[in-house]
Amino acid sequence: MSGPLVLLDSAGLYFRSFYALPESMTSPDGVPVNAVRGFAGMVAQIITERRPARLVACLDADWRPAFRVAAIPSYKAQRVADPVNNIEEVPDTLTPQVPIIIELLDAMGLCMAQAIGYEADDVIGTLADRETDAPVEIITGDRDLFQCVRDEPTPTRVIYVGRGWSKAEVLGPLELAQRYGLPPRGDAYADMAVLRGDPSDGLPGIAGIGEKTAAKLITKFGSLAALVAAAADPSSDVPPRVRTAFVADAKYLAAAPKVVAVATDAPLDIRGEQKMPTEIADLERVRELQERWDLGAPVDRLIAAITGSR
């Protein structure tokens, strides 16, 4: 198997496409399709440039899983539009585009995966952890997935598209270590993230500990578990203010690791074959979608990327 297993953080990619392209891109009846067009174009670029042997578009079956909310109730709470039904606040013009993206992926014959009660991050983490044959490349603009990088037993890299595909960065353990001043392990990033927190996800972190301090502490003590144990030892050289903060935020500190950690045991529901197709599964349906929604050149590029025609 010559190419990598490519795992797409699909929701992250179509959100970025939605905000990167104007809503003036519409279907003949005026429905915005900017996210669909941008997503299709990006997937075409990914296939063309990364040449995967296998590819899986990973989906959110649950954007705010109950097990994470039970541990930390503030998790993503600021994004809840409907608390009763646990519905995420999403732009009105993006929501109708998601089923079109799913239908397009299906018609193209590209594999999709989700897990009931889990986020796309957990689907990615589980697929990456299971892989034993090929290098893994995770395409995302989400730093939470940095924790998945590793060298052994199979190399796993994050291709970070936070600044767009043209400025994508390939990150492994060494690159993360250089970027954050951490030990060269993916789980060291997760340890740092617990301490730092993430306001955008409703995770407060430990009071008074920012990213740089968190990285220095994890580097000095080796891991979050070792740091916590050292903080409980009066003879250790953990700074007094860190000890005080750990006591004050003890409840968060106990709960956060399970919230921050990407699951590696999600019960996957995989639709289709991971192996990259060389033909379009249902070209007639693809052309119908292209015409119905005026998806234009991005769909042509995606067809060309899959079939190898130029």
Side-chain angles (χ1 to χ4, degrees):
M1 189 176 296
S2 57
L5 166 61
V6 166
L7 304 176
L8 304 180
D9 176 11
S10 300
L13 297 181
Y14 64 64
F15 262 94
R16 289 180 182 280
S17 296
F18 175 80
Y19 287 110
L21 297 174
E23 290 184 45
S24 57
M25 291 182 173
T26 61
S27 66
D29 54 356
V31 176
V33 291
N34 52 328
V36 186
R37 289 175 65 103
F39 181 81
M42 181 175 285
V43 175
Q45 283 185 293
I46 290 166
I47 293 171
T48 300
E49 296 182 24
R50 305 312 300 180
R51 299 187 178 278
R54 288 176 290 148
L55 180 144
V56 183
C58 301
L59 308 172
D60 275 327
D62 190 338
W63 72 282
R64 191 171 180 250
F67 74 92
R68 290 193 167 102
V69 175
I72 298 182
S74 64
Y75 181 66
K76 294 187 177 179
Q78 76 277 22
R79 299 189 220 166
V80 176
D82 179 351
V84 174
N85 296 302
N86 193 34
I87 295 175
E88 183 179 13
E89 186 175 25
V90 175
D92 292 341
T93 49
L94 173 58
T95 300
Q97 298 188 58
V98 177
I100 304 171
I101 290 170
I102 301 301
E103 189 173 1
L104 183 62
L105 288 169
D106 184 59
M108 289 285 184
L110 296 175
C111 182
M112 292 176 277
Q114 62 179 5
I116 300 301
Y118 291 84
E119 300 175 61
D121 286 9
D122 303 311
V123 176
I124 290 169
T126 300
L127 286 167
D129 189 67
R130 287 182 181 179
E131 183 57 33
T132 58
D133 295 326
V136 177
E137 295 183 351
I138 298 167
I139 316 293
T140 185
D142 185 352
R143 295 187 301 169
D144 293 343
L145 287 163
F146 288 177
Q147 64 187 273
C148 294
V149 303
R150 64 183 185 181
D151 288 326
E152 298 291 344
T154 50
T156 300
R157 300 293 183 262
V158 164
I159 300 182
Y160 182 63
V161 296
R163 297 188 297 161
W165 182 254
S166 64
K167 297 180 180 178
E169 303 171 79
V170 180
L171 303 174
L174 181 59
E175 289 79 14
L176 279 186
Q178 293 171 340
R179 184 171 182 151
Y180 293 103
L182 286 166
R185 309 187 319 271
D187 60 353
Y189 181 86
D191 286 348
M192 179 189 74
V194 168
L195 297 176
R196 178 197 64 201
D198 186 346
S200 68
D201 279 343
L203 300 176
I206 301 297
I209 298 181
E211 186 169 276
K212 290 183 179 180
T213 300
K216 288 178 181 177
L217 289 168
I218 297 303
T219 298
K220 180 175 181 178
F221 291 93
S223 69
L224 179 61
L227 171 60
V228 171
D233 178 0
S235 65
S236 73
D237 60 348
V238 174
R241 67 180 183 85
V242 173
R243 294 180 195 273
T244 301
F246 277 15
V247 171
D249 293 331
K251 187 175 180 180
Y252 166 83
L253 191 59
K258 72 170 69 173
V259 176
V260 170
V262 169
T264 56
D265 58 353
L268 299 181
D269 175 12
I270 299 175
R271 179 177 178 179
E273 294 294 326
Q274 294 184 30
K275 184 179 178 181
M276 271 298 302
T278 56
E279 298 180 350
I280 304 304
D282 190 340
L283 184 58
E284 182 179 356
R285 184 154 60 109
V286 169
R287 292 304 189 191
E288 288 173 355
L289 289 167
Q290 185 181 29
E291 182 178 358
R292 165 69 182 86
W293 300 107
D294 192 17
L295 301 179
V299 165
D300 289 333
R301 291 197 297 272
L302 184 51
I303 291 171
I306 291 171
T307 61
S309 60
R310 297 291 181 268

